[in-house]
Amino acid sequence: MKTALITGITGQDGSYMAELLLSKGYRVVGMVRRTSLEKFERIEHVRERIDLVQGDLTDQSSLDEAVKNSMPDEVYNFAAQSFVPTSWNQPALTGDVTGLAVSRMLEALRKYRADARFYQASSSEMFGKVMETPQRESTPFYPRSPYGVAKVYGHYITVNYRESYGMYACSGILFNHESPRRGIEFVTRKVTDAVARIRAGKLDRLKMGNLDAQRDWGFAGDYMEAIWLMMQGAEPRDYVIATGHTHTVKDLVDRAFTAAGLDWQKYVETDPKMIRPAEVDLLRGDPSKAKAELGWTPKVQFPELVEMMVRADLERHGVTA
Ligand code: NDP
Ligand code: GDR
């Protein structure tokens, strides 16, 4: 039986990856940080089938202990300060947790389990002010936020440990992926949750930022399959994981409101305070390397994804579609 250590198991991706690995017969160990109130909603349904260890990405000794005690065959490093706007408000913390901490994880592995396979959660935010479209593995990075800059560090330090120490360390450059478990502040979930609250009579206005931004949105469940395949290769390689299709935030808003029988123009207003200091205008990934080498293609398309999220939020708010 293989053992996997997942950092960020309480997040969106960690919870889907835990499910996937359990279904494949892994022993799953999740690293969680100490909080005054437990926030295990996303893993409640698998709680009895996984082991939890306490650790924080800012604390080397806790990472060492997590690795020493779990002796993983595979490590999935999902933990991060992952919200882009917060990275302007907390740039040094984001640099530490999202960037430098990748070195700490790699050092813990190098010391105690150098033959474990390591996955780093790289991001399309590294492409930022894009140098070409679609973005592929060879596209130069031009990050546009402290978050993006920190992810570039995490990406290259992973490449560096692979090349310096021959470790099986790889990165997935994942484009935005969403689900009913997406954090409420990210744009998809913010919109689908607002739609449900409007239908429930709990909200009458929705303030948004830049409606013209374009993103390549996929389903988190599909993307976890790609990550797992990446970790089973004959040698470690980095891959772009995306759908290859792009939509504006306005399109997302329109679809989500329409799915609940609402006209978005009656409820949505833009708030200049929500415009970011520097924006990533357009992301569209080219997943052809993942398709050719991993045999991976996304199953859920954008319209189904939005409908799935609207449906889940309507249910959460007790509204019948
Ligand atoms: P979430 O924000 O949902 O989850 C982040 C996780 O990191 C949580 O479990 C959180 O724990 C944990 N965490 C935060 N800070 C620390 C810390 N100091 N020590 C230990 N754990 C910590 O992110 P996602 O699941 O959406 O994303 C997973 C990873 O993939 C992230 O690295 C993200 O940057 C990256 N990524 C995500 C994409 C997406 O579209 N979702 C696209 C590309 C990359 P807690 O619950 O305690 O807060
Ligand atoms: P992003 O995701 O920054 O791409 O990072 P987010 O959903 O926050 O924003 C997407 C786009 O929507 C625009 N936008 C708004 N965004 C939010 N959050 N709230 C709003 O009200 C709003 N209005 C418009 C944004 O300006 C932006 O252009 C996500 C995170 O999961 C990262 O961790 C990950 O690395 C990248 O995706 C790939």
Side-chain angles (χ1 to χ4, degrees), residues 26 100 115 119 126 145 162 168 214 230 257 261 266 276 279 281 308:
Y26 281 66
L100 193 57
D115 56 348
Y119 174 81
M126 301 189 304
S145 63
R162 175 165 82 216
Y168 192 109
Q214 298 179 57
M230 230 179 271
F257 275 74
K266 292 187 184 149
R276 299 177 178 187
E279 178 63 287
D281 297 317
M308 175 205 302

Side-chain angles (χ1 to χ4, degrees), residues 10-13 33 56-57 78-80 82 147 151 177 182:
T10 55
Q12 170 187 261
D13 288 6
R33 16 179 206 175
D56 192 297
L57 283 186
F78 290 140
S82 74
Y147 169 83
K151 280 290 179 188
H177 46 280
R182 184 59 143 149

Side-chain angles (χ1 to χ4, degrees), residues 81 83-95 145-147 276-277:
Q81 191 302 95
F83 190 47
V84 173
T86 295
S87 76
W88 277 285
N89 181 250
Q90 300 178 17
L93 178 133
T94 304
S145 63
Y147 169 83
R276 299 177 178 187

Side-chain angles (χ1 to χ4, degrees), residues 265-318:
Q265 313 232 30
K266 292 187 184 149
Y267 302 96
V268 174
E269 58 190 54
T270 49
D271 180 349
K273 287 204 286 294
M274 300 181 82
I275 304 294
R276 299 177 178 187
E279 178 63 287
V280 172
D281 297 317
L282 164 74
L283 290 175
R284 181 156 69 86
D286 173 2
S288 49
K289 183 179 170 192
K291 185 172 183 193
E293 295 185 9
L294 304 174
W296 178 84
T297 44
K299 297 188 191 88
V300 178
Q301 304 302 323
F302 181 68
E304 295 162 69
L305 173 66
V306 177
E307 277 163 33
M308 175 205 302
M309 293 177 68
V310 169
R311 216 171 27 248
D313 277 319
L314 287 172
E315 263 170 42
R316 266 194 198 104
H317 287 278

Side-chain angles (χ1 to χ4, degrees), residues 46-65:
V46 290
R47 179 72 192 80
E48 298 308 318
R49 299 169 62 205
I50 58 183
D51 295 327
L52 296 180
V53 291
Q54 226 180 58
D56 192 297
L57 283 186
T58 58
D59 187 293
Q60 181 74 54
S61 63
S62 69
L63 305 181
D64 291 351
E65 286 301 309

